[in-house]
Every structure is written in structure tokens, then in C-alpha cells.
Amino acid sequence: MSGESERKAYRTELITVTFEARRCLHAAECVHGLPEVFDTAKRPWIQPGNATVERLVDVVGRCPSGALQYALVAGGTEPPDGSPRSPAAPPGR
């Protein structure tokens, strides 16, 4: 059971996208928003190198559960326009 709460990280030189399976609501915002990055038929199923940082920030920000999050390698989690990372994500998660 403890493996379900594990947060997995997928990195590029500019961004790290993390996924926490136990929080996922399977709304498929990621799969529909960036199918070239989020493909459940592939391993790894998240390939952040297949999109720009801006597109990743946008689609990860649509995750209704906060299961997907990101961190910019340069530091911080604020997208270039300053909008919040994910409105559903509780602070500190």
C-alpha cells in the first residue's frame, strides 16, 4: 500500500513533472491536453521532453486533483505569467 503514495519524478533540463498516483482522479486532463507527453501505453508514461515548458505548465496546471505537479529547474513553481500552479492543489503539496 505504501507504494501507492509514492511520488514519481520525470525530468528534463528545464522542468521536473511529478505524479502521485493515489491522488489521481483519472479526469484525463493530461492525456487529452498533451497526448505526446502523457501516454499510458508507453513507459515511462510521462515524457516531458516531448513538449515545451509552457505547454507542460499549462496542462499540469489543469490537473484537478493535484496528482501532477511541476518544478522549474531554475527554481520555483510559478509559470511565466505568475498564475497558480494548480488551483486544486493544497498548499505545500
Coordinates of all heavy atoms in Angstrom, one line a residue:
M1 N 0.8 -1.2 0.0 CA 0.0 0.0 0.0 C 0.8 1.3 0.0 O 0.5 2.3 -0.6 CB -0.9 0.0 1.2 CG -2.0 -1.0 1.2 SD -3.3 -0.3 0.1 CE -4.5 -1.6 0.1
S2 N 2.0 1.2 0.7 CA 2.8 2.4 0.7 C 3.3 2.9 -0.6 O 3.5 4.1 -0.8 CB 4.0 2.3 1.7 OG 4.8 1.3 1.2
G3 N 3.4 2.0 -1.6 CA 3.8 2.3 -3.0 C 2.8 3.2 -3.7 O 3.2 3.9 -4.6
E4 N 1.5 3.2 -3.2 CA 0.5 4.0 -3.9 C 0.7 5.5 -3.6 O 0.3 6.3 -4.4 CB -0.9 3.5 -3.4 CG -1.3 2.2 -3.9 CD -2.6 1.7 -3.3 OE1 -3.4 2.6 -2.8 OE2 -2.9 0.6 -3.4
S5 N 1.3 5.8 -2.5 CA 1.5 7.2 -2.2 C 2.8 7.8 -2.7 O 3.1 9.0 -2.5 CB 1.4 7.5 -0.7 OG 2.5 6.8 -0.1
E6 N 3.6 7.0 -3.4 CA 4.9 7.4 -3.9 C 4.7 8.4 -5.0 O 3.9 8.3 -5.9 CB 5.6 6.1 -4.5 CG 7.0 6.4 -5.0 CD 7.6 5.2 -5.5 OE1 7.5 4.1 -4.9 OE2 8.2 5.2 -6.6
R7 N 5.5 9.4 -4.9 CA 5.6 10.5 -6.0 C 6.7 10.2 -6.9 O 7.8 10.1 -6.5 CB 5.7 11.8 -5.3 CG 5.8 13.0 -6.4 CD 5.8 14.3 -5.7 NE 4.5 14.5 -5.1 CZ 4.2 15.5 -4.3 NH1 5.1 16.5 -4.1 NH2 3.1 15.7 -3.8
K8 N 6.4 10.0 -8.2 CA 7.4 9.7 -9.2 C 7.8 11.0 -9.9 O 6.9 11.8 -10.2 CB 6.9 8.7 -10.2 CG 6.8 7.3 -9.5 CD 6.5 6.2 -10.4 CE 6.3 4.9 -9.7 NZ 6.0 3.8 -10.6
A9 N 9.0 11.2 -10.3 CA 9.5 12.4 -11.0 C 10.0 12.0 -12.4 O 10.6 11.0 -12.6 CB 10.6 13.0 -10.2
Y10 N 9.7 12.9 -13.3 CA 10.1 12.8 -14.7 C 10.7 14.1 -15.1 O 10.1 15.2 -15.0 CB 8.8 12.6 -15.6 CG 8.1 11.3 -15.1 CD1 7.1 11.4 -14.1 CD2 8.4 10.1 -15.6 CE1 6.4 10.3 -13.6 CE2 7.7 9.0 -15.2 CZ 6.7 9.1 -14.2 OH 6.1 8.0 -13.8
R11 N 12.0 14.1 -15.4 CA 12.8 15.3 -15.6 C 13.3 15.6 -17.0 O 13.5 14.7 -17.8 CB 14.0 15.2 -14.7 CG 13.7 15.1 -13.2 CD 15.0 14.9 -12.4 NE 14.7 14.9 -11.0 CZ 14.3 13.9 -10.3 NH1 14.1 12.7 -10.9 NH2 14.0 14.0 -9.0
T12 N 13.4 16.9 -17.2 CA 14.2 17.4 -18.4 C 15.2 18.4 -17.8 O 15.2 18.6 -16.6 CB 13.3 18.1 -19.5 OG1 12.9 19.4 -18.9 CG2 12.1 17.2 -19.9
E13 N 15.9 19.0 -18.7 CA 16.9 20.0 -18.3 C 16.2 21.3 -17.7 O 16.8 22.0 -16.9 CB 17.8 20.5 -19.4 CG 18.7 19.4 -19.9 CD 19.6 19.8 -21.0 OE1 19.6 21.0 -21.3 OE2 20.3 19.0 -21.6
L14 N 14.9 21.5 -18.0 CA 14.2 22.7 -17.6 C 13.1 22.5 -16.6 O 12.7 23.5 -15.9 CB 13.6 23.4 -18.9 CG 14.6 23.8 -20.0 CD1 13.9 24.3 -21.2 CD2 15.6 24.8 -19.4
I15 N 12.5 21.3 -16.5 CA 11.4 21.1 -15.7 C 11.3 19.7 -15.2 O 11.8 18.8 -15.8 CB 10.1 21.5 -16.5 CG1 8.8 21.5 -15.6 CG2 9.9 20.5 -17.6 CD1 7.6 22.1 -16.2
T16 N 10.8 19.6 -14.0 CA 10.5 18.2 -13.4 C 9.0 18.1 -13.2 O 8.4 19.0 -12.6 CB 11.2 18.0 -12.1 OG1 12.6 18.1 -12.3 CG2 10.9 16.7 -11.4
V17 N 8.4 17.1 -13.8 CA 7.0 16.9 -13.6 C 6.9 15.7 -12.6 O 7.6 14.7 -12.8 CB 6.3 16.5 -14.9 CG1 4.8 16.1 -14.7 CG2 6.4 17.7 -15.9
T18 N 6.0 15.8 -11.6 CA 5.9 14.7 -10.6 C 4.4 14.2 -10.7 O 3.5 15.0 -11.0 CB 6.2 15.2 -9.2 OG1 5.4 16.2 -8.8 CG2 7.7 15.5 -9.0
F19 N 4.3 12.9 -10.3 CA 3.0 12.3 -10.4 C 2.8 11.5 -9.1 O 3.7 10.7 -8.8 CB 2.8 11.4 -11.6 CG 1.5 10.6 -11.6 CD1 0.3 11.3 -11.8 CD2 1.5 9.3 -11.5 CE1 -0.9 10.5 -11.8 CE2 0.4 8.5 -11.5 CZ -0.8 9.2 -11.7
E20 N 1.7 11.7 -8.4 CA 1.3 10.9 -7.2 C 0.1 10.1 -7.5 O -1.0 10.7 -7.5 CB 1.2 11.9 -6.0 CG 1.1 11.2 -4.7 CD 1.1 12.2 -3.6 OE1 1.4 13.4 -3.8 OE2 0.9 11.7 -2.4
A21 N 0.2 8.9 -7.8 CA -0.9 8.0 -8.3 C -2.1 8.0 -7.3 O -3.3 8.0 -7.8 CB -0.4 6.6 -8.5
R22 N -1.9 8.0 -6.0 CA -3.0 7.9 -5.1 C -3.9 9.1 -5.1 O -5.1 9.0 -4.7 CB -2.5 7.6 -3.7 CG -1.8 8.8 -3.0 CD -1.6 8.5 -1.5 NE -0.9 9.6 -0.9 CZ -1.4 10.7 -0.4 NH1 -2.7 10.8 -0.4 NH2 -0.7 11.7 0.1
R23 N -3.4 10.2 -5.6 CA -4.2 11.5 -5.7 C -5.0 11.6 -7.0 O -5.9 12.4 -7.1 CB -3.3 12.7 -5.5 CG -2.8 12.8 -4.1 CD -1.9 14.0 -4.0 NE -2.8 15.2 -4.0 CZ -2.3 16.4 -3.9 NH1 -1.0 16.6 -3.8 NH2 -3.1 17.5 -3.9
C24 N -4.6 10.8 -8.0 CA -5.2 10.9 -9.3 C -6.7 10.6 -9.4 O -7.1 9.5 -8.9 CB -4.4 10.0 -10.3 SG -5.0 10.2 -12.0
L25 N -7.5 11.5 -10.0 CA -8.9 11.2 -10.2 C -9.3 10.7 -11.5 O -10.4 10.5 -11.8 CB -9.7 12.6 -10.0 CG -9.5 13.2 -8.6 CD1 -10.2 14.6 -8.6 CD2 -10.1 12.3 -7.5
H26 N -8.3 10.5 -12.4 CA -8.4 9.9 -13.7 C -9.4 10.8 -14.6 O -10.1 10.3 -15.4 CB -8.9 8.5 -13.7 CG -7.9 7.6 -12.9 ND1 -6.7 7.3 -13.4 CD2 -8.0 7.1 -11.7 CE1 -6.1 6.5 -12.4 NE2 -6.9 6.4 -11.4
A27 N -9.2 12.1 -14.4 CA -10.0 13.0 -15.2 C -9.5 13.1 -16.7 O -10.1 13.6 -17.6 CB -10.0 14.4 -14.6
A28 N -8.2 12.7 -16.9 CA -7.6 12.6 -18.2 C -7.3 14.0 -18.8 O -7.1 14.1 -20.0 CB -8.3 11.7 -19.1
E29 N -7.2 15.0 -18.0 CA -6.9 16.4 -18.5 C -5.5 16.3 -19.1 O -5.2 16.9 -20.1 CB -6.9 17.4 -17.4 CG -8.3 17.8 -16.9 CD -9.1 18.6 -17.9 OE1 -8.5 19.3 -18.7 OE2 -10.3 18.5 -17.9
C30 N -4.6 15.6 -18.5 CA -3.2 15.5 -19.0 C -3.2 14.7 -20.3 O -2.6 15.2 -21.3 CB -2.3 14.8 -18.0 SG -2.9 13.1 -17.5
V31 N -3.8 13.6 -20.4 CA -3.8 12.7 -21.6 C -4.4 13.5 -22.8 O -3.9 13.4 -23.9 CB -4.5 11.4 -21.3 CG1 -4.7 10.6 -22.6 CG2 -3.8 10.6 -20.2
H32 N -5.5 14.2 -22.5 CA -6.2 14.9 -23.6 C -5.4 16.2 -24.0 O -5.4 16.6 -25.1 CB -7.6 15.3 -23.2 CG -8.5 14.0 -23.1 ND1 -8.7 13.2 -24.1 CD2 -9.1 13.6 -22.0 CE1 -9.5 12.2 -23.7 NE2 -9.8 12.4 -22.4
G33 N -4.8 16.8 -23.0 CA -4.1 18.1 -23.2 C -2.8 17.9 -23.9 O -2.4 18.8 -24.7
L34 N -2.0 16.9 -23.6 CA -0.7 16.7 -24.2 C -0.5 15.2 -24.4 O 0.3 14.5 -23.7 CB 0.4 17.2 -23.3 CG 0.7 18.7 -23.4 CD1 1.8 19.1 -22.3 CD2 1.2 19.0 -24.7
P35 N -1.2 14.6 -25.3 CA -1.0 13.1 -25.5 C 0.4 12.7 -25.9 O 0.8 11.6 -25.7 CB -2.0 12.8 -26.7 CG -2.3 14.1 -27.3 CD -2.1 15.2 -26.3
E36 N 1.2 13.6 -26.5 CA 2.6 13.3 -26.8 C 3.5 13.2 -25.6 O 4.6 12.7 -25.6 CB 3.1 14.3 -27.8 CG 3.3 15.7 -27.3 CD 2.0 16.6 -27.5 OE1 0.9 16.1 -27.5 OE2 2.2 17.8 -27.6
V37 N 3.0 13.7 -24.4 CA 3.7 13.7 -23.2 C 3.1 12.6 -22.3 O 3.9 11.8 -21.7 CB 3.7 15.0 -22.5 CG1 4.3 14.9 -21.1 CG2 4.5 16.1 -23.3
F38 N 1.8 12.6 -22.1 CA 1.1 11.7 -21.2 C 0.5 10.6 -22.0 O -0.6 10.8 -22.5 CB 0.1 12.5 -20.4 CG 0.7 13.6 -19.6 CD1 0.7 14.9 -20.1 CD2 1.3 13.4 -18.4 CE1 1.2 16.0 -19.4 CE2 1.8 14.5 -17.6 CZ 1.8 15.7 -18.1
D39 N 1.1 9.4 -22.0 CA 0.7 8.3 -22.8 C 0.7 7.1 -22.0 O 1.8 6.5 -21.7 CB 1.5 8.2 -24.1 CG 1.0 7.1 -25.0 OD1 0.2 6.2 -24.6 OD2 1.5 7.1 -26.2
T40 N -0.4 6.6 -21.5 CA -0.4 5.5 -20.6 C 0.0 4.2 -21.2 O 0.2 3.2 -20.5 CB -1.8 5.3 -20.0 OG1 -2.8 5.1 -21.0 CG2 -2.2 6.5 -19.1
A41 N 0.1 4.1 -22.5 CA 0.5 2.9 -23.2 C 2.1 2.8 -23.3 O 2.6 1.8 -23.7 CB 0.0 2.9 -24.6
K42 N 2.8 3.9 -22.9 CA 4.2 3.9 -23.0 C 4.8 3.9 -21.6 O 4.2 4.2 -20.6 CB 4.7 5.2 -23.7 CG 4.4 5.2 -25.2 CD 5.0 6.5 -25.8 CE 4.7 6.5 -27.3 NZ 5.2 7.7 -27.9
R43 N 6.1 3.5 -21.6 CA 6.9 3.5 -20.3 C 8.2 4.3 -20.6 O 8.9 3.9 -21.5 CB 7.1 2.1 -19.8 CG 5.9 1.4 -19.4 CD 5.3 2.1 -18.1 NE 4.0 1.5 -17.7 CZ 2.8 2.0 -18.0 NH1 2.7 3.1 -18.7 NH2 1.7 1.4 -17.6
P44 N 8.5 5.3 -19.9 CA 7.6 5.9 -18.9 C 6.4 6.5 -19.5 O 6.5 7.0 -20.7 CB 8.5 6.9 -18.2 CG 9.6 7.3 -19.2 CD 9.8 6.0 -20.0
W45 N 5.3 6.6 -18.8 CA 4.1 7.1 -19.4 C 4.1 8.7 -19.4 O 3.3 9.3 -20.2 CB 2.9 6.6 -18.6 CG 2.6 7.3 -17.3 CD1 3.1 7.0 -16.1 CD2 1.6 8.3 -17.1 NE1 2.5 7.8 -15.2 CE2 1.6 8.6 -15.7 CE3 0.7 9.0 -17.9 CZ2 0.8 9.6 -15.2 CZ3 -0.1 9.9 -17.4 CH2 -0.1 10.2 -16.0
I46 N 5.0 9.3 -18.7 CA 5.2 10.8 -18.8 C 6.5 11.0 -19.4 O 7.6 10.6 -18.9 CB 5.1 11.4 -17.4 CG1 3.7 11.2 -16.7 CG2 5.4 12.9 -17.5 CD1 3.6 11.7 -15.3
Q47 N 6.5 11.8 -20.5 CA 7.7 12.1 -21.3 C 7.8 13.6 -21.5 O 7.4 14.1 -22.6 CB 7.8 11.3 -22.6 CG 7.8 9.8 -22.3 CD 7.9 9.0 -23.6 OE1 8.4 9.5 -24.6 NE2 7.5 7.8 -23.5
P48 N 8.2 14.4 -20.4 CA 8.1 15.8 -20.5 C 9.0 16.4 -21.6 O 8.8 17.6 -22.0 CB 8.6 16.3 -19.1 CG 9.4 15.1 -18.6 CD 8.8 13.9 -19.2
G49 N 9.9 15.7 -22.1 CA 10.8 16.3 -23.2 C 10.1 16.4 -24.5 O 10.6 17.0 -25.5
N50 N 8.8 15.9 -24.6 CA 8.1 16.0 -25.8 C 7.2 17.2 -26.0 O 6.4 17.3 -26.9 CB 7.2 14.7 -26.0 CG 8.0 13.5 -26.2 OD1 9.1 13.5 -26.5 ND2 7.3 12.3 -26.1
A51 N 7.4 18.2 -25.1 CA 6.6 19.4 -25.2 C 7.4 20.6 -24.6 O 8.4 20.4 -23.9 CB 5.3 19.3 -24.4
T52 N 7.0 21.8 -24.9 CA 7.6 23.0 -24.3 C 7.3 23.1 -22.8 O 6.3 22.6 -22.3 CB 7.2 24.3 -25.0 OG1 5.8 24.5 -24.8 CG2 7.5 24.2 -26.5
V53 N 8.1 23.8 -22.1 CA 7.9 24.1 -20.7 C 6.5 24.8 -20.5 O 5.7 24.4 -19.6 CB 9.0 24.9 -20.0 CG1 8.6 25.4 -18.7 CG2 10.3 24.1 -20.0
E54 N 6.2 25.7 -21.4 CA 5.0 26.5 -21.3 C 3.8 25.6 -21.4 O 2.8 25.7 -20.6 CB 4.9 27.6 -22.3 CG 5.9 28.7 -22.1 CD 7.4 28.4 -22.5 OE1 7.6 27.4 -23.2 OE2 8.3 29.1 -22.0
R55 N 3.8 24.7 -22.4 CA 2.7 23.7 -22.5 C 2.6 22.8 -21.4 O 1.5 22.5 -20.9 CB 2.8 23.0 -23.9 CG 2.6 23.9 -25.0 CD 2.5 23.2 -26.4 NE 1.3 22.4 -26.4 CZ 1.2 21.3 -27.1 NH1 2.2 20.8 -27.8 NH2 0.0 20.6 -27.1
L56 N 3.7 22.3 -20.8 CA 3.7 21.4 -19.7 C 3.0 22.2 -18.5 O 2.2 21.6 -17.8 CB 5.1 21.0 -19.3 CG 5.6 19.9 -20.2 CD1 7.1 19.8 -20.1 CD2 5.0 18.6 -20.0
V57 N 3.5 23.4 -18.2 CA 2.9 24.2 -17.1 C 1.4 24.3 -17.3 O 0.7 24.2 -16.3 CB 3.6 25.6 -17.1 CG1 2.9 26.5 -16.2 CG2 5.1 25.4 -16.6
D58 N 1.0 24.6 -18.5 CA -0.5 24.8 -18.7 C -1.2 23.5 -18.4 O -2.2 23.5 -17.7 CB -0.7 25.3 -20.2 CG -2.2 25.4 -20.5 OD1 -2.9 26.1 -19.7 OD2 -2.6 24.8 -21.5
V59 N -0.8 22.4 -19.0 CA -1.6 21.2 -18.8 C -1.5 20.6 -17.4 O -2.5 20.2 -16.8 CB -1.1 20.1 -19.9 CG1 -1.8 18.8 -19.6 CG2 -1.5 20.6 -21.3
V60 N -0.3 20.6 -16.8 CA -0.1 20.2 -15.4 C -1.0 21.0 -14.5 O -1.6 20.5 -13.6 CB 1.3 20.2 -15.0 CG1 1.4 19.9 -13.5 CG2 2.1 19.1 -15.8
G61 N -1.1 22.3 -14.8 CA -2.0 23.2 -14.0 C -3.5 22.9 -14.1 O -4.2 23.3 -13.2
R62 N -3.9 22.1 -15.1 CA -5.3 21.7 -15.2 C -5.6 20.4 -14.4 O -6.8 20.1 -14.3 CB -5.6 21.4 -16.7 CG -5.5 22.5 -17.6 CD -6.0 22.1 -19.0 NE -5.2 22.8 -20.0 CZ -5.1 22.4 -21.3 NH1 -5.7 21.3 -21.7 NH2 -4.4 23.1 -22.1
C63 N -4.7 19.8 -13.8 CA -4.9 18.6 -13.1 C -5.8 18.9 -11.9 O -5.4 19.6 -11.0 CB -3.6 18.0 -12.6 SG -3.8 16.5 -11.6
P64 N -7.0 18.4 -11.9 CA -8.0 18.7 -10.8 C -7.6 18.2 -9.4 O -8.1 18.8 -8.4 CB -9.3 18.1 -11.3 CG -8.9 17.0 -12.2 CD -7.6 17.4 -12.8
S65 N -6.8 17.2 -9.3 CA -6.5 16.6 -8.0 C -5.2 17.1 -7.5 O -4.9 16.9 -6.3 CB -6.5 15.1 -8.1 OG -5.4 14.7 -9.0
G66 N -4.4 17.6 -8.3 CA -3.0 18.0 -7.9 C -2.1 16.8 -7.9 O -0.9 16.9 -7.4
A67 N -2.5 15.7 -8.5 CA -1.6 14.5 -8.6 C -0.4 14.8 -9.5 O 0.7 14.3 -9.2 CB -2.4 13.3 -9.2
L68 N -0.6 15.7 -10.5 CA 0.5 16.1 -11.3 C 0.9 17.5 -10.8 O 0.1 18.4 -10.5 CB 0.1 16.3 -12.7 CG -0.1 15.0 -13.5 CD1 -0.7 15.3 -14.9 CD2 1.2 14.3 -13.8
Q69 N 2.2 17.7 -10.6 CA 2.8 18.9 -10.2 C 4.1 19.1 -11.0 O 4.6 18.2 -11.6 CB 3.0 19.0 -8.7 CG 1.7 18.9 -7.9 CD 1.9 19.1 -6.5 OE1 2.9 19.7 -6.0 NE2 1.0 18.6 -5.7
Y70 N 4.6 20.3 -10.9 CA 5.9 20.5 -11.6 C 6.8 21.5 -10.8 O 6.3 22.2 -9.9 CB 5.7 21.1 -13.0 CG 5.2 22.6 -13.0 CD1 6.1 23.6 -12.9 CD2 3.9 22.9 -13.0 CE1 5.7 24.9 -12.9 CE2 3.4 24.2 -12.9 CZ 4.3 25.2 -12.9 OH 3.9 26.5 -12.8
A71 N 8.1 21.5 -11.1 CA 9.0 22.4 -10.5 C 10.0 22.8 -11.7 O 10.4 21.9 -12.4 CB 9.8 21.8 -9.4
L72 N 10.2 24.1 -11.8 CA 11.1 24.5 -12.8 C 12.5 24.3 -12.3 O 12.8 24.6 -11.1 CB 10.9 26.0 -13.1 CG 9.5 26.3 -13.6 CD1 9.3 27.8 -13.8 CD2 9.2 25.6 -14.9
V73 N 13.4 23.9 -13.2 CA 14.8 23.6 -12.7 C 15.5 24.8 -12.2 O 16.2 24.8 -11.3 CB 15.6 22.9 -13.9 CG1 17.1 22.8 -13.5 CG2 15.0 21.6 -14.2
A74 N 15.1 26.0 -12.8 CA 15.7 27.3 -12.3 C 15.2 27.6 -10.9 O 15.7 28.6 -10.3 CB 15.4 28.4 -13.3
G75 N 14.2 26.9 -10.4 CA 13.6 27.2 -9.1 C 12.2 27.7 -9.2 O 11.8 28.3 -10.2
G76 N 11.4 27.4 -8.2 CA 10.1 27.9 -8.2 C 9.1 27.0 -8.9 O 9.5 26.0 -9.6
T77 N 7.8 27.3 -8.7 CA 6.7 26.5 -9.4 C 5.8 27.5 -10.1 O 4.7 27.0 -10.5 CB 6.0 25.7 -8.3 OG1 5.5 26.5 -7.3 CG2 6.8 24.6 -7.8
E78 N 6.1 28.7 -10.1 CA 5.2 29.7 -10.8 C 5.5 29.7 -12.3 O 6.6 29.8 -12.7 CB 5.4 31.1 -10.2 CG 4.9 31.2 -8.8 CD 3.5 30.9 -8.6 OE1 2.6 31.4 -9.4 OE2 3.1 30.1 -7.7
P79 N 4.4 29.6 -13.1 CA 4.6 29.7 -14.5 C 5.0 31.1 -14.9 O 4.9 32.0 -14.1 CB 3.2 29.3 -15.1 CG 2.3 29.5 -14.0 CD 3.1 29.3 -12.7
P80 N 5.5 31.3 -16.1 CA 6.0 32.6 -16.6 C 5.0 33.7 -16.4 O 5.4 34.8 -16.1 CB 6.3 32.4 -18.1 CG 6.5 30.9 -18.2 CD 5.7 30.2 -17.2
D81 N 3.7 33.5 -16.5 CA 2.7 34.5 -16.3 C 2.3 34.8 -14.8 O 1.6 35.7 -14.5 CB 1.5 34.3 -17.1 CG 0.7 33.1 -16.7 OD1 1.1 32.4 -15.7 OD2 -0.4 32.8 -17.2
G82 N 2.8 34.0 -13.9 CA 2.6 34.2 -12.5 C 1.3 33.5 -12.0 O 1.0 33.7 -10.8
S83 N 0.5 32.8 -12.8 CA -0.7 32.2 -12.4 C -0.4 31.0 -11.5 O 0.7 30.4 -11.6 CB -1.6 31.8 -13.5 OG -0.9 30.9 -14.4
P84 N -1.3 30.6 -10.6 CA -1.0 29.5 -9.7 C -0.8 28.2 -10.5 O -1.3 28.0 -11.6 CB -2.3 29.4 -8.8 CG -3.3 30.3 -9.4 CD -2.6 31.2 -10.5
R85 N 0.0 27.3 -9.9 CA 0.3 26.0 -10.5 C -0.9 25.1 -10.7 O -1.1 24.6 -11.7 CB 1.4 25.3 -9.6 CG 1.6 23.9 -9.9 CD 2.5 23.3 -8.9 NE 1.9 23.4 -7.6 CZ 2.6 23.4 -6.4 NH1 3.8 23.2 -6.4 NH2 2.0 23.5 -5.3
S86 N -1.7 25.0 -9.7 CA -2.9 24.1 -9.8 C -3.9 24.5 -8.7 O -3.6 24.4 -7.6 CB -2.5 22.6 -9.6 OG -3.6 21.8 -9.6
P87 N -5.0 25.1 -9.1 CA -5.9 25.6 -8.1 C -6.4 24.6 -7.2 O -6.8 24.9 -6.0 CB -7.1 26.1 -9.0 CG -6.8 25.9 -10.4 CD -5.5 25.2 -10.5
A88 N -6.5 23.3 -7.5 CA -6.9 22.2 -6.6 C -5.9 21.7 -5.7 O -6.2 21.0 -4.7 CB -7.5 21.1 -7.5
A89 N -4.6 22.0 -6.0 CA -3.5 21.5 -5.2 C -3.5 22.3 -3.8 O -3.3 23.5 -3.8 CB -2.2 21.6 -5.9
P90 N -3.5 21.6 -2.7 CA -3.4 22.2 -1.4 C -2.0 22.8 -1.2 O -1.1 22.2 -1.8 CB -3.7 21.1 -0.4 CG -3.6 19.9 -1.1 CD -3.7 20.1 -2.6
P91 N -1.9 23.9 -0.5 CA -0.5 24.5 -0.2 C 0.4 23.4 0.4 O 0.0 22.6 1.2 CB -0.8 25.6 0.7 CG -2.3 25.9 0.6 CD -2.9 24.6 0.2
G92 N 1.6 23.5 -0.1 CA 2.7 22.6 0.4 C 2.6 21.2 -0.1 O 3.3 20.3 0.4
R93 N 1.8 20.9 -1.1 CA 1.7 19.5 -1.6 C 2.2 19.5 -3.0 O 2.2 20.3 -3.8 CB 0.3 19.0 -1.6 CG -0.4 19.0 -0.2 CD -0.1 17.8 0.6 NE -0.5 16.6 -0.1 CZ -0.5 15.5 0.5 NH1 -0.1 15.4 1.7 NH2 -0.9 14.4 -0.1

